[in-house]
Each structure stands twice: as C-alpha cells, then as structure tokens.
C-alpha cells in the first residue's frame, strides 16, 4: 500500500495497486428492506455501503 494524498489539508490514505475487474455492478436497496435472510451469493462479492448500515454474518466453512 502506498500513502497517497487524496484531499488538501488531510492525512494521506493508504491505496493499493489497481486490480483488474471483468465486471462491476451497482444495486439500490429500497427503503424498508430489513433482512434478506441467509443465502449464498453465486459469485465472490465485495459489498460497499455508501449510506446507512448493514449487519453481515458469515457462516463457518465445513
């Protein structure tokens, strides 16, 4: 990781190298959705919430 200034007068961020991506997708979760229930995503998943909060639970691998 490289320390990189991102904003004037703020501490630099640690930024990784770029990673190649074959696809990217965005989702909007409607207000009022509270629980999706346990499920296994079909692919690897990186979830980033831009607003609000979420409680994720990971099942133990067997």
């Amino acid at each position: 990781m490289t320390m990189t200034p991102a904003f004037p007068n703020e501490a630099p961020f640690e930024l990784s190298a770029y990673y190649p991506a074959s696809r990217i997708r965005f989702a909007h979760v409607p207000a009022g959705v509270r629980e999706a229930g346990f499920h296994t995503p079909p692919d690897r998943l990186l979830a980033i919430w831009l607003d609000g909060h979420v409680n994720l639970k990971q099942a133990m691998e067997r």
Side-chain angles (χ1 to χ4, degrees), residues 2-15:
T2 304
M3 296 299 286
T4 305
F7 302 103
N9 304 316
E10 295 295 332
F13 292 0
E14 289 185 72
L15 295 179

Side-chain angles (χ1 to χ4, degrees), residues 37-49:
F38 181 81
H39 63 284
T40 302
D43 296 308
R44 292 177 65 182
L45 176 67
L46 170 63
I48 301 171
W49 261 250

Side-chain angles (χ1 to χ4, degrees), residues 19 34 40 50-51:
Y19 288 89
R34 298 286 178 230
T40 302
L50 300 178
D51 190 16

Side-chain angles (χ1 to χ4, degrees), residues 10-36:
E10 295 295 332
F13 292 0
E14 289 185 72
L15 295 179
S16 71
Y18 286 101
Y19 288 89
S22 58
R23 57 191 183 163
I24 185 170
R25 200 162 140 178
F26 295 91
H28 173 259
V29 179
V33 172
R34 298 286 178 230
E35 186 173 328

